[in-house]
Amino acid sequence: MTDARDLEAQIAEVFAERLQVRHRAQRPADQPVEVPSPDLDLFEGGVVDSLMFVKLLTSLEQRFGFRISFEELEIDDFRTLRHIARFVAAKRAPQVRRVSAS
């Protein structure tokens, strides 16, 4: 499994375990929401609403050990599992510090 696919799988686990969004095979018949495919628009598909979005942000912070500031929130970064995986990968990447030459 590639790193990107592995990260997508981990984020799908966040949806299943922390947000109680289940894969079709694991959910009762009366529970309509399932773990989304990597390219499904989570907002248009009705998987994520405003409350679920806040829970998602908190769950990502807890699971991957980083903080998300208000200034870096771009809704398009959270539209799909694939976009979320890219965002998480960027947050986990080592930050390059610039040192000014004086």
Side-chain angles (χ1 to χ4, degrees), residues 6-88:
D6 185 46
L7 196 49
E8 287 174 16
Q10 291 178 50
I11 293 166
E13 287 176 13
V14 168
F15 274 87
E17 295 170 6
R18 297 189 182 206
L19 303 176
Q20 303 302 307
V21 176
R22 300 281 180 222
H23 191 275
R24 177 173 285 161
Q26 300 172 329
R27 67 180 167 89
D30 63 340
Q31 189 178 24
V33 179
E34 62 184 73
V35 174
S37 65
D39 293 315
L40 173 72
D41 187 309
L42 300 170
F43 297 97
E44 287 183 14
V47 177
V48 175
D49 59 14
S50 58
L51 180 58
M52 179 69 80
F53 184 63
V54 172
K55 290 179 182 179
L56 171 63
L57 295 176
T58 303
S59 296
L60 292 172
E61 288 179 334
Q62 291 171 352
R63 172 74 183 255
F64 297 105
F66 56 72
R67 292 308 226 183
I68 303 170
S69 69
F70 181 76
E71 292 79 25
E72 64 189 328
L73 283 179
E74 292 289 335
I75 199 72
D76 287 336
D77 289 334
F78 300 92
R79 284 209 175 274
T80 69
L81 284 181
R82 188 155 289 143
H83 289 165
I84 296 169
R86 284 187 210 136
F87 178 84
V88 169

